[in-house]
Amino acid sequence: MRVFSIFAAALVAASARAENFEFASGDLRLTFRDDGRITKLTDTAGRSYLSDVVPWVSRIEPGGKWSFAGKASKRQDSALVFAFADGSTLVESVKPFDGGFVFTVEDCSPMEGMQSLQLAMLRPGCSKYTGGFSCVSSDDERAICLRSFDYRLGMSTARDAMKIFLDRPGGAKGMRFGLAAGPRDGILARLQALVKESGLYYSRAGGPWSLGSEEARQSYMFANCQSRNIDAWIDATRRAGVSIFHFHCWWDHLGHYGVNRDKFPRGLADLKAAADKVRAAGMNVSLHSLTACIDFHDPWVSPVCHSNLIATCAYTLARPITADSQEVVVNEPPGPNHDVVTTYTSNGNLLEIDGELIEYRAVRREEPYAFTGIVRGSQRTKVRDHAAGTRVKYLQQRYFCFYPEPDSPLATELADRLAGVYNAIGSDMIYFDGSE
């Protein structure tokens, strides 16, 4: 009993010596401790939004080992400095807004070889309901949201933990995310404030505005129409009581988004004329897109595949590829996500090497690593020889399409082409199909 008493007294003394860093935002109080843990998120009405004290910052080291930032300090500018045992640090500023806090990575030590860096983690005290898209955890009285403002950051919302993480730790500086909390019956206003604080584009017809949006209550008609039958489509849509006329399959290719001249012989001019007729009939105009998709027949794929397409894995050629090659031999072991067929929802079986697409039928996961049963010049791409050491990319495939790297000139050009059509016809709405 005496030993237990001494141990308990030591814990109390250690707790008393701990330094706490508190941030206030309206009725919210957020507290971190000098051992790097988030300890409290409460409001002035006495509600608590956390179920446990956990490390805020952590990382996955080479070999899969987890480590936590076990020290924290607060700078004069109120930024928090989280330190790992090896001396590397992550600095996050904390800015209050009405309903929560915005965090910005102000500095990050080089973390070569790290598999993942977790910028934030908490255990929600209200987890009866969870929403993966909204990143909200709630019960009947309280709600909490932890959401990224940067597409490069991953987010996870589960009953036992909410996380913000980065799988490429070297580029964390400048990334931002937000934390909002409050009574469930008032959380929408706080989520709206959170969205505004993100600095990103948003629609007042969606997200935390959707429940009060008249636009979100309107119906729309998917119209696979043409110039020659636009009047019949308009008449059918109006008689159905539908208020949004949605132009679907109006393009020649996903990617370049030229107007299909089999349907609209004068191209953009005919599509605009059709949209003008829709507006004259008292309906809103909507334009369909398959978000960021570049189909296999688009000029960005064939005859030379563009270099700025997203790859889920990359390798280096171990042997040259010539006209007689029967397999693609690589230096690295193949990743786990390779499919051996391309279907509408599969990962696909297409490798890109120097602009050529090569299909494979099997994967050899023992040395020498290889993709076998190959078909050269897939999707009518140009066949050429490839030297050892050349990069091999396993392209991300969905819906028989590839996707541009988000920060690339290709992504900008695709967005500009789609926006050009949207603006030219004066569309009221755009439909980002497949954005999930």
Side-chain angles (χ1 to χ4, degrees):
M1 180 65 70
R2 175 178 171 78
V3 173
F4 176 79
S5 299
I6 293 173
F7 179 68
L11 284 178
V12 171
S15 176
R17 290 195 300 270
E19 186 177 2
N20 294 314
F21 312 115
E22 184 175 288
F23 299 86
S25 174
D27 63 345
L28 293 176
R29 300 295 181 267
L30 173 65
T31 306
F32 294 89
R33 203 164 60 196
D34 60 6
D35 60 359
R37 285 160 167 75
I38 178 172
T39 59
K40 293 180 182 179
L41 179 60
T42 58
D43 62 26
T44 53
R47 287 178 286 257
S48 176
Y49 296 89
L50 303 180
S51 66
D52 199 1
V53 174
V54 293
W56 181 250
V57 173
S58 61
R59 66 190 182 189
I60 305 178
E61 299 180 351
K65 178 184 176 182
W66 274 96
S67 69
F68 304 98
K71 292 183 179 180
S73 58
K74 188 176 182 181
R75 299 192 319 198
Q76 288 185 344
D77 61 359
S78 295
L80 291 173
V81 181
F82 296 91
F84 290 90
D86 64 359
S88 57
T89 59
L90 177 75
V91 181
E92 294 180 356
S93 63
V94 186
K95 174 190 172 185
F97 70 91
D98 188 17
F101 305 87
V102 172
F103 297 81
T104 303
V105 178
E106 301 293 347
D107 199 9
C108 183
S109 297
M111 297 192 184
E112 290 84 357
M114 300 299 164
Q115 296 181 21
S116 181
L117 175 63
Q118 191 166 273
L119 305 181
M121 186 183 80
L122 58 84
R123 298 200 186 280
C126 44
S127 57
K128 183 177 180 179
Y129 316 104
T130 58
F133 278 4
S134 62
C135 302
V136 173
S137 183
S138 67
D139 56 21
D140 294 320
E141 297 181 357
R142 304 162 294 168
I144 184 171
C145 173
L146 184 64
R147 184 181 298 175
S148 165
F149 297 162
D150 193 302
Y151 70 87
R152 293 166 293 182
L153 290 176
M155 298 176 285
S156 173
T157 302
R159 295 183 187 279
D160 63 338
M162 305 175 77
K163 304 175 184 179
I164 300 287
F165 55 90
L166 177 65
D167 287 333
R168 296 178 181 177
K173 187 175 180 179
M175 294 186 177
R176 303 167 67 239
F177 58 94
L179 171 64
R184 181 181 170 88
D185 59 6
I187 195 62
L188 286 180
R190 299 190 181 209
L191 293 179
Q192 291 170 6
L194 178 70
V195 170
K196 292 177 180 179
E197 286 292 327
S198 74
L200 303 174
Y201 294 109
Y202 63 91
S203 169
R204 289 185 178 274
W209 286 272
S210 59
L211 289 177
S213 167
E214 284 301 319
E215 292 90 343
R217 296 183 177 90
Q218 295 178 16
S219 300
Y220 49 91
M221 175 76 81
F222 268 65
N224 293 323
C225 59
Q226 306 177 30
S227 289
R228 62 181 179 83
N229 63 11
I230 185 64
D231 293 329
W233 270 99
I234 289 173
D235 181 61
T237 304
R238 184 176 52 214
R239 286 189 291 110
V242 175
S243 56
I244 301 174
F245 190 97
H246 184 66
F247 285 96
H248 186 251
C249 292
W250 52 269
W251 53 81
D252 53 5
H253 295 296
L254 295 168
H256 275 71
Y257 277 110
V259 177
N260 188 326
R261 290 181 177 267
D262 290 336
K263 296 182 176 182
F264 303 95
R266 294 186 302 145
L268 186 58
D270 275 352
L271 181 60
K272 183 180 185 305
D276 289 342
K277 284 189 174 184
V278 170
R279 272 187 293 272
M283 290 177 285
N284 290 323
V285 173
S286 176
L287 197 67
H288 196 86
S289 73
L290 198 54
T291 309
C293 286
I294 301 173
D295 69 47
F296 292 166
H297 305 295
D298 190 82
W300 282 325
V301 174
S302 175
V304 178
C305 196
H306 202 285
S307 61
N308 288 149
L309 298 176
I310 290 176
T312 56
C313 300
Y315 311 98
T316 51
L317 273 180
R319 300 174 188 172
I321 296 179
T322 64
D324 298 327
S325 298
Q326 300 298 310
E327 58 186 22
V328 176
V329 184
V330 296
N331 291 321
E332 302 82 4
N337 61 333
H338 281 276
D339 285 335
V340 293
V341 65
T342 294
T343 65
Y344 193 67
T345 57
S346 74
N347 291 327
N349 63 335
L350 293 166
L351 305 173
E352 184 267 317
I353 311 175
D354 281 339
E356 178 188 356
L357 289 176
I358 299 178
E359 293 182 32
Y360 61 87
R361 293 289 181 265
V363 181
R364 188 163 66 233
R365 298 186 178 278
E366 300 81 27
E367 294 189 79
Y369 307 117
F371 301 92
T372 63
I374 63 173
V375 178
R376 303 290 303 278
S378 181
Q379 310 305 325
R380 304 181 308 282
T381 53
K382 184 177 179 180
V383 176
R384 61 181 72 183
D385 291 344
H386 307 288
T390 303
R391 192 179 190 210
V392 179
K393 294 167 62 177
Y394 178 42
L395 298 183
Q396 173 64 51
Q397 191 282 145
R398 280 295 186 280
Y399 316 135
F400 300 119
C401 293
F402 299 129
Y403 302 87
E405 295 173 344
D407 287 328
S408 68
L410 178 60
T412 300
E413 186 173 353
L414 189 156
D416 286 345
R417 287 178 176 273
L418 187 56
V421 178
Y422 179 93
N423 292 328
I425 71 170
S427 188
D428 303 295
M429 168 180 143
I430 190 166
Y431 191 112
F432 291 113
D433 194 6
S435 60
E436 70 278 2

